[in-house]
Amino acid sequence: MREKDEINKELEKVEEKMNDPHFWDDKEAAQKVISRYQELKDELEGVGKYDKSDAIITIFGGAGGTDAEDFARMLLEMYLKFAAKKGWTCSLLHSNHNDHGGYRNVTVEVSGKNVFGTLQNESGVHRLVRISPFDSNKKRHTAFAMVEVVPKLKQVKDIDLDENEVRVEFSKSSGPGGQNVNKRETAVRVVHEPTDTSIVVSSERSQEQNRQKALEILRGKLYHMLEEERRAKEEGMQVSKTTDNEWGSQIRSYVLHPYKLVKDHRTNTEVRDVESVFEGDIEPFIEAMKES
């Protein structure tokens, strides 16, 4: 990602063009320059240039076994309900589910106005505390799930994606007939070997469509990694290449027992109406992060 000095240099060049007495002779070209000027100002002020992009949300069940995979399902439904309230559209790209209706991992594409800018701070480890419905002794369990939100990107100037470094694998995906019926060899898994980042997409009808969709997600993931490194560099922090999906690393806790409370540990925002949160009312947490 670019340093502030580099952005300022380009900003100076753009301002020089805007001060030219013949600037408005070509109105179409002038509008492009003005748009670029605003992009640079936003970038300088820390506004992500992909805030208006659609987003890819991936949720992974973490520590906690079946409860964690069920928690992944709960989080997915929470985001789908939030998206519906915002008038966004969602499409399932890939899911790896268990025998109890939960997900080991699940990926959805969310399309609409300012999706990535709204949801980007949902990335991180989420923690659930409740009486487990899967425990016959009705004991309290703690489970974790990882949420990853990346922008949907077709091309990114900041990211040099060498497809020679991308391994593509094909496998069978379920057709309309169900899990074991009418399978098509269209599911695609792409692996970016330098970062060991992998994406699976099985939603499209052809291998090529799934491959292109997987590459879009890969670009978003690489952008997300670079953005985290840039922010950490500015703040003088050390970036961990992996986030432990367990104790001590959570950004938000959802407690259902012995009391009810959802707390965001970054802003200390608390909501006691846990049911409303799982019904998609996550605005308090999103707004608090914007103000922090």
Side-chain angles (χ1 to χ4, degrees):
M1 306 304 291
R2 303 200 303 166
E3 302 289 342
K4 287 186 176 180
D5 287 346
E6 187 180 349
I7 299 171
N8 276 317
K9 286 179 182 178
E10 185 178 352
L11 198 57
E12 288 176 5
K13 292 179 181 178
V14 172
E15 288 173 339
E16 286 178 11
K17 291 181 181 179
M18 293 173 67
N19 291 327
D20 189 302
H22 300 288
F23 177 69
W24 286 104
D25 289 355
D26 186 337
K27 290 185 179 180
E28 186 176 343
Q31 287 294 343
K32 290 181 180 179
V33 173
I34 291 172
S35 295
R36 183 57 184 160
Y37 175 80
Q38 189 57 53
E39 288 175 0
L40 290 167
K41 292 289 286 186
D42 287 346
E43 190 176 355
L44 195 61
E45 292 169 8
V47 179
K49 55 186 172 181
Y50 301 112
D51 279 7
K52 296 180 181 179
S53 301
D54 295 341
I56 307 295
I57 302 176
T58 303
I59 305 173
F60 306 88
T66 301
D67 278 286
E69 292 165 0
D70 190 54
F71 185 31
R73 173 194 61 80
M74 295 166 67
L75 290 174
L76 173 65
E77 292 178 357
M78 180 183 78
Y79 290 123
L80 293 178
K81 289 173 181 177
F82 176 73
K85 291 178 180 180
K86 300 287 287 186
W88 298 339
T89 58
C90 302
S91 58
L92 179 69
L93 297 182
H94 179 73
S95 65
N96 181 0
H97 52 78
N98 63 19
D99 296 329
H100 300 281
Y103 293 99
R104 298 180 183 92
N105 59 75
V106 58
T107 302
V108 294
E109 179 180 328
V110 185
S111 303
K113 184 178 180 181
N114 299 328
V115 177
F116 177 68
T118 303
L119 293 177
Q120 59 183 325
N121 290 318
E122 290 298 298
S123 290
V125 177
H126 297 239
R127 170 177 169 250
L128 173 69
V129 180
R130 67 172 178 176
I131 299 295
S132 172
F134 306 103
D135 187 338
S136 58
N137 295 317
K138 302 300 179 184
K139 291 185 177 179
R140 190 171 70 225
H141 286 241
T142 299
F144 298 85
M146 168 76 82
V147 175
E148 181 184 64
V149 183
V150 301
K152 179 187 174 185
L153 306 176
K154 292 189 176 180
Q155 290 184 337
V156 185
K157 292 180 180 178
D158 297 322
I159 295 173
D160 182 19
L161 181 59
D162 184 353
E163 292 198 23
N164 291 323
E165 297 177 338
V166 177
R167 187 172 77 251
V168 181
E169 301 170 354
F170 302 101
S171 61
K172 293 183 178 181
S173 59
S174 298
Q179 186 176 358
N180 299 310
V181 182
N182 194 23
K183 292 196 172 184
R184 309 182 303 268
E185 292 198 10
T186 58
V188 172
R189 178 174 182 260
V190 299
V191 181
H192 184 243
E193 294 183 334
T195 59
D196 196 29
T197 302
S198 66
I199 299 98
V200 179
V201 177
S202 57
S203 59
E204 306 299 326
R205 290 184 174 274
S206 72
Q207 288 180 343
E208 180 57 24
Q209 287 174 318
N210 282 326
R211 189 183 75 87
Q212 290 297 334
K213 182 75 70 175
L215 289 175
E216 285 180 12
I217 299 173
L218 175 59
R219 291 186 180 97
K221 282 179 178 281
L222 295 178
Y223 163 78
H224 184 67
M225 291 178 189
L226 289 172
E227 182 66 9
E228 282 190 334
E229 289 178 1
R230 181 189 67 80
R231 287 177 180 173
K233 184 177 180 181
E234 286 182 354
E235 296 170 7
M237 296 168 57
Q238 185 71 29
V239 175
S240 172
K241 294 299 181 183
T242 59
T243 301
D244 290 333
N245 203 349
E246 54 187 19
W247 288 102
S249 60
Q250 64 267 12
I251 62 168
R252 189 178 302 151
S253 293
Y254 306 72
V255 181
L256 302 180
H257 186 84
Y259 53 87
K260 291 188 176 182
L261 179 70
V262 181
K263 180 176 181 178
D264 195 294
H265 301 290
R266 300 164 297 181
T267 62
N268 290 322
T269 303
E270 297 183 352
V271 175
R272 295 195 176 275
D273 188 353
V274 178
E275 289 78 10
S276 71
V277 173
F278 282 118
E279 286 297 314
D281 186 11
I282 58 175
E283 287 282 4
F285 307 112
I286 291 172
E287 292 303 317
M289 280 301 297
K290 288 180 180 178
E291 295 170 4
S292 65

